[in-house]
Amino acid sequence: QVQLVESGGGLVQAGGSLRLSCAASGSIFTIRTMSWYRQAPGNQRELVASISSGGSINYADSVKGRFTISRDNAKNTVYLQMNSLKYEDTAVYYCNADINTTILRRGAYWGQGTQVTVSS
């Protein structure tokens, strides 16, 4: 069994910063890509940023230059540093990881979500 536990959400004023963390634990053979998604009320879940096991990074256009994704492979943890936050960044943020639990068994796992609220 694999668990992803997120932390770091909260309420912040526009222009402020937050740092999200997501730690994976359980029966893990290897972790491939780790990602952050977000979902605002009435909207579909969207990809915010992803980082591969080799360090390749992708960002949504809406967060480029403001958000930074990173990972600590020794800790099975991915981070999302969010700066210059805007009201429209308000959403529930979800961690996602592509994980092999054995050499042959692979699946996508999700965290429970953490609320980020940006006040204007």
Side-chain angles (χ1 to χ4, degrees), residues 39-79:
Q39 187 168 20
N43 290 356
Q44 290 187 334
R45 191 172 296 189
E46 63 175 357
L47 177 66
V48 175
S50 65
I51 181 167
S52 72
S53 57
S56 295
I57 291 173
N58 287 293
Y59 293 104
D61 287 343
S62 58
V63 306
K64 282 181 181 176
R66 300 188 298 120
F67 290 10
T68 302
I69 190 171
S70 61
R71 63 190 284 173
D72 184 333
N73 291 327
K75 296 181 179 180
N76 290 339
T77 298
V78 63
Y79 305 97

PDB file of all heavy atoms in Angstrom, residues 39-79:
ATOM      1  N   GLN A  39      -7.494  21.904  -8.324  1.00  0.00           N
ATOM      2  CA  GLN A  39      -8.889  21.947  -8.762  1.00  0.00           C
ATOM      3  C   GLN A  39      -9.616  23.031  -7.989  1.00  0.00           C
ATOM      4  O   GLN A  39      -9.735  22.963  -6.763  1.00  0.00           O
ATOM      5  CB  GLN A  39      -9.573  20.598  -8.559  1.00  0.00           C
ATOM      6  CG  GLN A  39     -10.966  20.526  -9.137  1.00  0.00           C
ATOM      7  CD  GLN A  39     -11.508  19.116  -9.185  1.00  0.00           C
ATOM      8  OE1 GLN A  39     -11.032  18.231  -8.475  1.00  0.00           O
ATOM      9  NE2 GLN A  39     -12.493  18.872 -10.036  1.00  0.00           N
ATOM     10  N   ALA A  40     -10.087  24.025  -8.727  1.00  0.00           N
ATOM     11  CA  ALA A  40     -10.890  25.096  -8.153  1.00  0.00           C
ATOM     12  C   ALA A  40     -12.364  24.721  -8.281  1.00  0.00           C
ATOM     13  O   ALA A  40     -12.730  23.932  -9.163  1.00  0.00           O
ATOM     14  CB  ALA A  40     -10.601  26.404  -8.869  1.00  0.00           C
ATOM     15  N   PRO A  41     -13.219  25.283  -7.437  1.00  0.00           N
ATOM     16  CA  PRO A  41     -14.650  24.961  -7.508  1.00  0.00           C
ATOM     17  C   PRO A  41     -15.216  25.214  -8.901  1.00  0.00           C
ATOM     18  O   PRO A  41     -14.988  26.267  -9.490  1.00  0.00           O
ATOM     19  CB  PRO A  41     -15.264  25.915  -6.484  1.00  0.00           C
ATOM     20  CG  PRO A  41     -14.165  26.178  -5.519  1.00  0.00           C
ATOM     21  CD  PRO A  41     -12.910  26.187  -6.330  1.00  0.00           C
ATOM     22  N   GLY A  42     -15.907  24.208  -9.432  1.00  0.00           N
ATOM     23  CA  GLY A  42     -16.526  24.343 -10.743  1.00  0.00           C
ATOM     24  C   GLY A  42     -15.589  24.099 -11.912  1.00  0.00           C
ATOM     25  O   GLY A  42     -16.016  24.143 -13.067  1.00  0.00           O
ATOM     26  N   ASN A  43     -14.319  23.854 -11.603  1.00  0.00           N
ATOM     27  CA  ASN A  43     -13.327  23.634 -12.664  1.00  0.00           C
ATOM     28  C   ASN A  43     -12.832  22.198 -12.666  1.00  0.00           C
ATOM     29  O   ASN A  43     -12.946  21.477 -11.673  1.00  0.00           O
ATOM     30  CB  ASN A  43     -12.135  24.573 -12.484  1.00  0.00           C
ATOM     31  CG  ASN A  43     -12.465  26.005 -12.758  1.00  0.00           C
ATOM     32  OD1 ASN A  43     -13.578  26.335 -13.163  1.00  0.00           O
ATOM     33  ND2 ASN A  43     -11.509  26.879 -12.522  1.00  0.00           N
ATOM     34  N   GLN A  44     -12.260  21.800 -13.790  1.00  0.00           N
ATOM     35  CA  GLN A  44     -11.635  20.488 -13.853  1.00  0.00           C
ATOM     36  C   GLN A  44     -10.269  20.526 -13.166  1.00  0.00           C
ATOM     37  O   GLN A  44      -9.652  21.593 -13.033  1.00  0.00           O
ATOM     38  CB  GLN A  44     -11.461  20.065 -15.325  1.00  0.00           C
ATOM     39  CG  GLN A  44     -12.759  19.734 -16.027  1.00  0.00           C
ATOM     40  CD  GLN A  44     -12.533  19.162 -17.420  1.00  0.00           C
ATOM     41  OE1 GLN A  44     -11.513  19.433 -18.055  1.00  0.00           O
ATOM     42  NE2 GLN A  44     -13.471  18.360 -17.888  1.00  0.00           N
ATOM     43  N   ARG A  45      -9.825  19.360 -12.753  1.00  0.00           N
ATOM     44  CA  ARG A  45      -8.485  19.270 -12.169  1.00  0.00           C
ATOM     45  C   ARG A  45      -7.464  19.533 -13.275  1.00  0.00           C
ATOM     46  O   ARG A  45      -7.576  18.991 -14.378  1.00  0.00           O
ATOM     47  CB  ARG A  45      -8.276  17.883 -11.553  1.00  0.00           C
ATOM     48  CG  ARG A  45      -7.043  17.771 -10.696  1.00  0.00           C
ATOM     49  CD  ARG A  45      -7.004  16.440  -9.956  1.00  0.00           C
ATOM     50  NE  ARG A  45      -8.106  16.308  -9.005  1.00  0.00           N
ATOM     51  CZ  ARG A  45      -8.195  15.323  -8.116  1.00  0.00           C
ATOM     52  NH1 ARG A  45      -7.256  14.383  -8.054  1.00  0.00           N
ATOM     53  NH2 ARG A  45      -9.222  15.259  -7.299  1.00  0.00           N
ATOM     54  N   GLU A  46      -6.467  20.357 -12.972  1.00  0.00           N
ATOM     55  CA  GLU A  46      -5.471  20.707 -13.973  1.00  0.00           C
ATOM     56  C   GLU A  46      -4.061  20.473 -13.438  1.00  0.00           C
ATOM     57  O   GLU A  46      -3.800  20.617 -12.230  1.00  0.00           O
ATOM     58  CB  GLU A  46      -5.610  22.176 -14.401  1.00  0.00           C
ATOM     59  CG  GLU A  46      -5.381  23.177 -13.300  1.00  0.00           C
ATOM     60  CD  GLU A  46      -5.412  24.614 -13.797  1.00  0.00           C
ATOM     61  OE1 GLU A  46      -5.556  24.838 -15.011  1.00  0.00           O
ATOM     62  OE2 GLU A  46      -5.257  25.518 -12.947  1.00  0.00           O
ATOM     63  N   LEU A  47      -3.164  20.147 -14.359  1.00  0.00           N
ATOM     64  CA  LEU A  47      -1.767  19.953 -13.995  1.00  0.00           C
ATOM     65  C   LEU A  47      -1.109  21.298 -13.733  1.00  0.00           C
ATOM     66  O   LEU A  47      -1.205  22.215 -14.554  1.00  0.00           O
ATOM     67  CB  LEU A  47      -1.036  19.216 -15.117  1.00  0.00           C
ATOM     68  CG  LEU A  47       0.461  19.004 -14.920  1.00  0.00           C
ATOM     69  CD1 LEU A  47       0.728  18.061 -13.750  1.00  0.00           C
ATOM     70  CD2 LEU A  47       1.087  18.453 -16.196  1.00  0.00           C
ATOM     71  N   VAL A  48      -0.420  21.400 -12.611  1.00  0.00           N
ATOM     72  CA  VAL A  48       0.301  22.622 -12.262  1.00  0.00           C
ATOM     73  C   VAL A  48       1.778  22.477 -12.622  1.00  0.00           C
ATOM     74  O   VAL A  48       2.354  23.347 -13.267  1.00  0.00           O
ATOM     75  CB  VAL A  48       0.164  22.924 -10.762  1.00  0.00           C
ATOM     76  CG1 VAL A  48       1.012  24.125 -10.381  1.00  0.00           C
ATOM     77  CG2 VAL A  48      -1.299  23.142 -10.398  1.00  0.00           C
ATOM     78  N   ALA A  49       2.382  21.371 -12.183  1.00  0.00           N
ATOM     79  CA  ALA A  49       3.806  21.155 -12.432  1.00  0.00           C
ATOM     80  C   ALA A  49       4.128  19.679 -12.246  1.00  0.00           C
ATOM     81  O   ALA A  49       3.456  18.991 -11.477  1.00  0.00           O
ATOM     82  CB  ALA A  49       4.668  21.987 -11.490  1.00  0.00           C
ATOM     83  N   SER A  50       5.159  19.232 -12.950  1.00  0.00           N
ATOM     84  CA  SER A  50       5.601  17.840 -12.800  1.00  0.00           C
ATOM     85  C   SER A  50       7.113  17.790 -12.863  1.00  0.00           C
ATOM     86  O   SER A  50       7.762  18.638 -13.475  1.00  0.00           O
ATOM     87  CB  SER A  50       4.988  16.952 -13.882  1.00  0.00           C
ATOM     88  OG  SER A  50       5.452  17.334 -15.161  1.00  0.00           O
ATOM     89  N   ILE A  51       7.666  16.746 -12.215  1.00  0.00           N
ATOM     90  CA  ILE A  51       9.115  16.545 -12.219  1.00  0.00           C
ATOM     91  C   ILE A  51       9.379  15.053 -12.325  1.00  0.00           C
ATOM     92  O   ILE A  51       8.837  14.256 -11.555  1.00  0.00           O
ATOM     93  CB  ILE A  51       9.769  17.164 -10.956  1.00  0.00           C
ATOM     94  CG1 ILE A  51      11.287  16.973 -10.994  1.00  0.00           C
ATOM     95  CG2 ILE A  51       9.154  16.633  -9.667  1.00  0.00           C
ATOM     96  CD1 ILE A  51      12.020  17.817  -9.947  1.00  0.00           C
ATOM     97  N   SER A  52      10.194  14.694 -13.292  1.00  0.00           N
ATOM     98  CA  SER A  52      10.493  13.283 -13.504  1.00  0.00           C
ATOM     99  C   SER A  52      11.562  12.813 -12.516  1.00  0.00           C
ATOM    100  O   SER A  52      12.180  13.620 -11.814  1.00  0.00           O
ATOM    101  CB  SER A  52      10.974  13.060 -14.935  1.00  0.00           C
ATOM    102  OG  SER A  52      12.293  13.586 -15.091  1.00  0.00           O
ATOM    103  N   SER A  53      11.795  11.522 -12.499  1.00  0.00           N
ATOM    104  CA  SER A  53      12.833  10.982 -11.626  1.00  0.00           C
ATOM    105  C   SER A  53      14.216  11.493 -12.018  1.00  0.00           C
ATOM    106  O   SER A  53      15.113  11.583 -11.171  1.00  0.00           O
ATOM    107  CB  SER A  53      12.811   9.456 -11.673  1.00  0.00           C
ATOM    108  OG  SER A  53      12.979   8.995 -13.001  1.00  0.00           O
ATOM    109  N   GLY A  54      14.362  11.868 -13.273  1.00  0.00           N
ATOM    110  CA  GLY A  54      15.637  12.411 -13.740  1.00  0.00           C
ATOM    111  C   GLY A  54      15.754  13.908 -13.616  1.00  0.00           C
ATOM    112  O   GLY A  54      16.796  14.481 -13.954  1.00  0.00           O
ATOM    113  N   GLY A  55      14.675  14.538 -13.149  1.00  0.00           N
ATOM    114  CA  GLY A  55      14.725  15.980 -12.921  1.00  0.00           C
ATOM    115  C   GLY A  55      14.125  16.845 -14.022  1.00  0.00           C
ATOM    116  O   GLY A  55      14.194  18.076 -13.946  1.00  0.00           O
ATOM    117  N   SER A  56      13.527  16.239 -15.035  1.00  0.00           N
ATOM    118  CA  SER A  56      12.874  17.043 -16.075  1.00  0.00           C
ATOM    119  C   SER A  56      11.600  17.664 -15.509  1.00  0.00           C
ATOM    120  O   SER A  56      10.809  16.972 -14.862  1.00  0.00           O
ATOM    121  CB  SER A  56      12.531  16.164 -17.275  1.00  0.00           C
ATOM    122  OG  SER A  56      13.707  15.686 -17.889  1.00  0.00           O
ATOM    123  N   ILE A  57      11.401  18.936 -15.792  1.00  0.00           N
ATOM    124  CA  ILE A  57      10.319  19.709 -15.173  1.00  0.00           C
ATOM    125  C   ILE A  57       9.428  20.336 -16.221  1.00  0.00           C
ATOM    126  O   ILE A  57       9.904  20.814 -17.255  1.00  0.00           O
ATOM    127  CB  ILE A  57      10.908  20.803 -14.253  1.00  0.00           C
ATOM    128  CG1 ILE A  57      11.566  20.156 -13.031  1.00  0.00           C
ATOM    129  CG2 ILE A  57       9.839  21.794 -13.833  1.00  0.00           C
ATOM    130  CD1 ILE A  57      12.325  21.148 -12.157  1.00  0.00           C
ATOM    131  N   ASN A  58       8.134  20.337 -15.921  1.00  0.00           N
ATOM    132  CA  ASN A  58       7.157  21.037 -16.748  1.00  0.00           C
ATOM    133  C   ASN A  58       6.246  21.861 -15.859  1.00  0.00           C
ATOM    134  O   ASN A  58       5.914  21.442 -14.740  1.00  0.00           O
ATOM    135  CB  ASN A  58       6.310  20.045 -17.555  1.00  0.00           C
ATOM    136  CG  ASN A  58       7.089  19.437 -18.688  1.00  0.00           C
ATOM    137  OD1 ASN A  58       7.460  20.106 -19.639  1.00  0.00           O
ATOM    138  ND2 ASN A  58       7.362  18.144 -18.588  1.00  0.00           N
ATOM    139  N   TYR A  59       5.849  23.027 -16.356  1.00  0.00           N
ATOM    140  CA  TYR A  59       4.931  23.902 -15.632  1.00  0.00           C
ATOM    141  C   TYR A  59       3.761  24.284 -16.530  1.00  0.00           C
ATOM    142  O   TYR A  59       3.912  24.442 -17.744  1.00  0.00           O
ATOM    143  CB  TYR A  59       5.621  25.197 -15.201  1.00  0.00           C
ATOM    144  CG  TYR A  59       6.702  25.031 -14.168  1.00  0.00           C
ATOM    145  CD1 TYR A  59       8.044  25.110 -14.535  1.00  0.00           C
ATOM    146  CD2 TYR A  59       6.398  24.819 -12.824  1.00  0.00           C
ATOM    147  CE1 TYR A  59       9.051  24.969 -13.593  1.00  0.00           C
ATOM    148  CE2 TYR A  59       7.397  24.673 -11.878  1.00  0.00           C
ATOM    149  CZ  TYR A  59       8.716  24.743 -12.272  1.00  0.00           C
ATOM    150  OH  TYR A  59       9.716  24.603 -11.338  1.00  0.00           O
ATOM    151  N   ALA A  60       2.622  24.495 -15.903  1.00  0.00           N
ATOM    152  CA  ALA A  60       1.515  25.122 -16.603  1.00  0.00           C
ATOM    153  C   ALA A  60       1.906  26.562 -16.894  1.00  0.00           C
ATOM    154  O   ALA A  60       2.610  27.201 -16.102  1.00  0.00           O
ATOM    155  CB  ALA A  60       0.258  25.079 -15.744  1.00  0.00           C
ATOM    156  N   ASP A  61       1.441  27.083 -18.019  1.00  0.00           N
ATOM    157  CA  ASP A  61       1.793  28.454 -18.394  1.00  0.00           C
ATOM    158  C   ASP A  61       1.382  29.454 -17.319  1.00  0.00           C
ATOM    159  O   ASP A  61       2.065  30.454 -17.105  1.00  0.00           O
ATOM    160  CB  ASP A  61       1.117  28.814 -19.717  1.00  0.00           C
ATOM    161  CG  ASP A  61       1.750  28.114 -20.901  1.00  0.00           C
ATOM    162  OD1 ASP A  61       2.881  27.607 -20.775  1.00  0.00           O
ATOM    163  OD2 ASP A  61       1.098  28.056 -21.959  1.00  0.00           O
ATOM    164  N   SER A  62       0.294  29.178 -16.635  1.00  0.00           N
ATOM    165  CA  SER A  62      -0.246  30.119 -15.656  1.00  0.00           C
ATOM    166  C   SER A  62       0.640  30.277 -14.420  1.00  0.00           C
ATOM    167  O   SER A  62       0.466  31.233 -13.664  1.00  0.00           O
ATOM    168  CB  SER A  62      -1.646  29.679 -15.228  1.00  0.00           C
ATOM    169  OG  SER A  62      -1.608  28.369 -14.673  1.00  0.00           O
ATOM    170  N   VAL A  63       1.569  29.341 -14.203  1.00  0.00           N
ATOM    171  CA  VAL A  63       2.392  29.421 -12.992  1.00  0.00           C
ATOM    172  C   VAL A  63       3.877  29.595 -13.309  1.00  0.00           C
ATOM    173  O   VAL A  63       4.686  29.741 -12.379  1.00  0.00           O
ATOM    174  CB  VAL A  63       2.199  28.183 -12.102  1.00  0.00           C
ATOM    175  CG1 VAL A  63       0.716  27.966 -11.794  1.00  0.00           C
ATOM    176  CG2 VAL A  63       2.808  26.921 -12.712  1.00  0.00           C
ATOM    177  N   LYS A  64       4.233  29.591 -14.568  1.00  0.00           N
ATOM    178  CA  LYS A  64       5.649  29.736 -14.935  1.00  0.00           C
ATOM    179  C   LYS A  64       6.209  31.035 -14.379  1.00  0.00           C
ATOM    180  O   LYS A  64       5.590  32.092 -14.492  1.00  0.00           O
ATOM    181  CB  LYS A  64       5.804  29.696 -16.455  1.00  0.00           C
ATOM    182  CG  LYS A  64       5.739  28.312 -17.053  1.00  0.00           C
ATOM    183  CD  LYS A  64       5.915  28.348 -18.568  1.00  0.00           C
ATOM    184  CE  LYS A  64       5.820  26.958 -19.162  1.00  0.00           C
ATOM    185  NZ  LYS A  64       5.894  26.970 -20.634  1.00  0.00           N
ATOM    186  N   GLY A  65       7.397  30.931 -13.783  1.00  0.00           N
ATOM    187  CA  GLY A  65       8.048  32.107 -13.223  1.00  0.00           C
ATOM    188  C   GLY A  65       7.622  32.424 -11.804  1.00  0.00           C
ATOM    189  O   GLY A  65       8.235  33.273 -11.140  1.00  0.00           O
ATOM    190  N   ARG A  66       6.563  31.750 -11.316  1.00  0.00           N
ATOM    191  CA  ARG A  66       6.089  32.013  -9.955  1.00  0.00           C
ATOM    192  C   ARG A  66       6.210  30.772  -9.065  1.00  0.00           C
ATOM    193  O   ARG A  66       6.460  30.895  -7.864  1.00  0.00           O
ATOM    194  CB  ARG A  66       4.632  32.454  -9.977  1.00  0.00           C
ATOM    195  CG  ARG A  66       4.378  33.722 -10.774  1.00  0.00           C
ATOM    196  CD  ARG A  66       2.942  34.216 -10.608  1.00  0.00           C
ATOM    197  NE  ARG A  66       1.956  33.256 -11.105  1.00  0.00           N
ATOM    198  CZ  ARG A  66       1.003  32.708 -10.351  1.00  0.00           C
ATOM    199  NH1 ARG A  66       0.905  33.014  -9.068  1.00  0.00           N
ATOM    200  NH2 ARG A  66       0.134  31.853 -10.886  1.00  0.00           N
ATOM    201  N   PHE A  67       6.003  29.600  -9.633  1.00  0.00           N
ATOM    202  CA  PHE A  67       6.043  28.349  -8.872  1.00  0.00           C
ATOM    203  C   PHE A  67       7.302  27.574  -9.230  1.00  0.00           C
ATOM    204  O   PHE A  67       7.775  27.615 -10.362  1.00  0.00           O
ATOM    205  CB  PHE A  67       4.834  27.473  -9.197  1.00  0.00           C
ATOM    206  CG  PHE A  67       3.513  27.993  -8.686  1.00  0.00           C
ATOM    207  CD1 PHE A  67       3.368  29.258  -8.157  1.00  0.00           C
ATOM    208  CD2 PHE A  67       2.387  27.175  -8.742  1.00  0.00           C
ATOM    209  CE1 PHE A  67       2.151  29.722  -7.697  1.00  0.00           C
ATOM    210  CE2 PHE A  67       1.162  27.611  -8.288  1.00  0.00           C
ATOM    211  CZ  PHE A  67       1.048  28.894  -7.770  1.00  0.00           C
ATOM    212  N   THR A  68       7.818  26.849  -8.238  1.00  0.00           N
ATOM    213  CA  THR A  68       8.984  25.987  -8.450  1.00  0.00           C
ATOM    214  C   THR A  68       8.727  24.617  -7.844  1.00  0.00           C
ATOM    215  O   THR A  68       8.405  24.521  -6.654  1.00  0.00           O
ATOM    216  CB  THR A  68      10.234  26.590  -7.811  1.00  0.00           C
ATOM    217  OG1 THR A  68      10.480  27.889  -8.354  1.00  0.00           O
ATOM    218  CG2 THR A  68      11.451  25.701  -8.079  1.00  0.00           C
ATOM    219  N   ILE A  69       8.851  23.593  -8.672  1.00  0.00           N
ATOM    220  CA  ILE A  69       8.703  22.223  -8.190  1.00  0.00           C
ATOM    221  C   ILE A  69      10.086  21.618  -7.977  1.00  0.00           C
ATOM    222  O   ILE A  69      11.016  21.891  -8.735  1.00  0.00           O
ATOM    223  CB  ILE A  69       7.876  21.366  -9.179  1.00  0.00           C
ATOM    224  CG1 ILE A  69       7.512  20.009  -8.552  1.00  0.00           C
ATOM    225  CG2 ILE A  69       8.599  21.179 -10.499  1.00  0.00           C
ATOM    226  CD1 ILE A  69       6.511  19.212  -9.390  1.00  0.00           C
ATOM    227  N   SER A  70      10.211  20.824  -6.936  1.00  0.00           N
ATOM    228  CA  SER A  70      11.468  20.135  -6.656  1.00  0.00           C
ATOM    229  C   SER A  70      11.156  18.827  -5.941  1.00  0.00           C
ATOM    230  O   SER A  70      10.029  18.625  -5.488  1.00  0.00           O
ATOM    231  CB  SER A  70      12.398  21.006  -5.808  1.00  0.00           C
ATOM    232  OG  SER A  70      11.808  21.304  -4.562  1.00  0.00           O
ATOM    233  N   ARG A  71      12.148  17.964  -5.854  1.00  0.00           N
ATOM    234  CA  ARG A  71      11.931  16.697  -5.157  1.00  0.00           C
ATOM    235  C   ARG A  71      13.186  16.271  -4.435  1.00  0.00           C
ATOM    236  O   ARG A  71      14.304  16.615  -4.839  1.00  0.00           O
ATOM    237  CB  ARG A  71      11.459  15.601  -6.121  1.00  0.00           C
ATOM    238  CG  ARG A  71      12.431  15.220  -7.193  1.00  0.00           C
ATOM    239  CD  ARG A  71      11.792  14.317  -8.242  1.00  0.00           C
ATOM    240  NE  ARG A  71      11.624  12.937  -7.782  1.00  0.00           N
ATOM    241  CZ  ARG A  71      10.968  12.006  -8.478  1.00  0.00           C
ATOM    242  NH1 ARG A  71      10.395  12.309  -9.639  1.00  0.00           N
ATOM    243  NH2 ARG A  71      10.878  10.771  -8.000  1.00  0.00           N
ATOM    244  N   ASP A  72      12.982  15.529  -3.357  1.00  0.00           N
ATOM    245  CA  ASP A  72      14.071  14.933  -2.595  1.00  0.00           C
ATOM    246  C   ASP A  72      13.862  13.422  -2.691  1.00  0.00           C
ATOM    247  O   ASP A  72      12.996  12.866  -2.005  1.00  0.00           O
ATOM    248  CB  ASP A  72      14.026  15.412  -1.147  1.00  0.00           C
ATOM    249  CG  ASP A  72      15.195  14.903  -0.314  1.00  0.00           C
ATOM    250  OD1 ASP A  72      15.740  13.819  -0.640  1.00  0.00           O
ATOM    251  OD2 ASP A  72      15.545  15.558   0.665  1.00  0.00           O
ATOM    252  N   ASN A  73      14.625  12.778  -3.542  1.00  0.00           N
ATOM    253  CA  ASN A  73      14.426  11.348  -3.775  1.00  0.00           C
ATOM    254  C   ASN A  73      14.736  10.507  -2.536  1.00  0.00           C
ATOM    255  O   ASN A  73      14.138   9.457  -2.329  1.00  0.00           O
ATOM    256  CB  ASN A  73      15.276  10.885  -4.944  1.00  0.00           C
ATOM    257  CG  ASN A  73      14.797  11.456  -6.273  1.00  0.00           C
ATOM    258  OD1 ASN A  73      13.594  11.667  -6.461  1.00  0.00           O
ATOM    259  ND2 ASN A  73      15.713  11.726  -7.178  1.00  0.00           N
ATOM    260  N   ALA A  74      15.648  10.967  -1.711  1.00  0.00           N
ATOM    261  CA  ALA A  74      15.988  10.224  -0.494  1.00  0.00           C
ATOM    262  C   ALA A  74      14.818  10.203   0.486  1.00  0.00           C
ATOM    263  O   ALA A  74      14.681   9.269   1.282  1.00  0.00           O
ATOM    264  CB  ALA A  74      17.217  10.824   0.167  1.00  0.00           C
ATOM    265  N   LYS A  75      13.990  11.228   0.406  1.00  0.00           N
ATOM    266  CA  LYS A  75      12.840  11.343   1.311  1.00  0.00           C
ATOM    267  C   LYS A  75      11.525  11.006   0.633  1.00  0.00           C
ATOM    268  O   LYS A  75      10.461  11.120   1.245  1.00  0.00           O
ATOM    269  CB  LYS A  75      12.767  12.756   1.890  1.00  0.00           C
ATOM    270  CG  LYS A  75      13.947  13.134   2.772  1.00  0.00           C
ATOM    271  CD  LYS A  75      13.782  14.539   3.336  1.00  0.00           C
ATOM    272  CE  LYS A  75      14.943  14.916   4.239  1.00  0.00           C
ATOM    273  NZ  LYS A  75      14.792  16.298   4.789  1.00  0.00           N
ATOM    274  N   ASN A  76      11.584  10.634  -0.656  1.00  0.00           N
ATOM    275  CA  ASN A  76      10.355  10.346  -1.418  1.00  0.00           C
ATOM    276  C   ASN A  76       9.364  11.505  -1.325  1.00  0.00           C
ATOM    277  O   ASN A  76       8.156  11.307  -1.157  1.00  0.00           O
ATOM    278  CB  ASN A  76       9.689   9.048  -0.943  1.00  0.00           C
ATOM    279  CG  ASN A  76      10.489   7.814  -1.309  1.00  0.00           C
ATOM    280  OD1 ASN A  76      11.322   7.839  -2.218  1.00  0.00           O
ATOM    281  ND2 ASN A  76      10.263   6.733  -0.593  1.00  0.00           N
ATOM    282  N   THR A  77       9.873  12.709  -1.440  1.00  0.00           N
ATOM    283  CA  THR A  77       9.064  13.909  -1.209  1.00  0.00           C
ATOM    284  C   THR A  77       9.186  14.865  -2.385  1.00  0.00           C
ATOM    285  O   THR A  77      10.272  15.047  -2.939  1.00  0.00           O
ATOM    286  CB  THR A  77       9.500  14.601   0.084  1.00  0.00           C
ATOM    287  OG1 THR A  77       9.293  13.706   1.180  1.00  0.00           O
ATOM    288  CG2 THR A  77       8.689  15.863   0.325  1.00  0.00           C
ATOM    289  N   VAL A  78       8.049  15.462  -2.725  1.00  0.00           N
ATOM    290  CA  VAL A  78       8.018  16.504  -3.745  1.00  0.00           C
ATOM    291  C   VAL A  78       7.512  17.788  -3.105  1.00  0.00           C
ATOM    292  O   VAL A  78       6.685  17.755  -2.193  1.00  0.00           O
ATOM    293  CB  VAL A  78       7.143  16.086  -4.952  1.00  0.00           C
ATOM    294  CG1 VAL A  78       5.677  15.897  -4.548  1.00  0.00           C
ATOM    295  CG2 VAL A  78       7.256  17.084  -6.091  1.00  0.00           C
ATOM    296  N   TYR A  79       8.039  18.910  -3.571  1.00  0.00           N
ATOM    297  CA  TYR A  79       7.693  20.215  -3.031  1.00  0.00           C
ATOM    298  C   TYR A  79       7.154  21.115  -4.139  1.00  0.00           C
ATOM    299  O   TYR A  79       7.475  20.949  -5.307  1.00  0.00           O
ATOM    300  CB  TYR A  79       8.927  20.887  -2.412  1.00  0.00           C
ATOM    301  CG  TYR A  79       9.621  20.051  -1.372  1.00  0.00           C
ATOM    302  CD1 TYR A  79      10.725  19.276  -1.712  1.00  0.00           C
ATOM    303  CD2 TYR A  79       9.180  20.033  -0.053  1.00  0.00           C
ATOM    304  CE1 TYR A  79      11.372  18.493  -0.766  1.00  0.00           C
ATOM    305  CE2 TYR A  79       9.830  19.249   0.901  1.00  0.00           C
ATOM    306  CZ  TYR A  79      10.918  18.487   0.532  1.00  0.00           C
ATOM    307  OH  TYR A  79      11.555  17.713   1.467  1.00  0.00           O
TER     308      TYR A  79
END
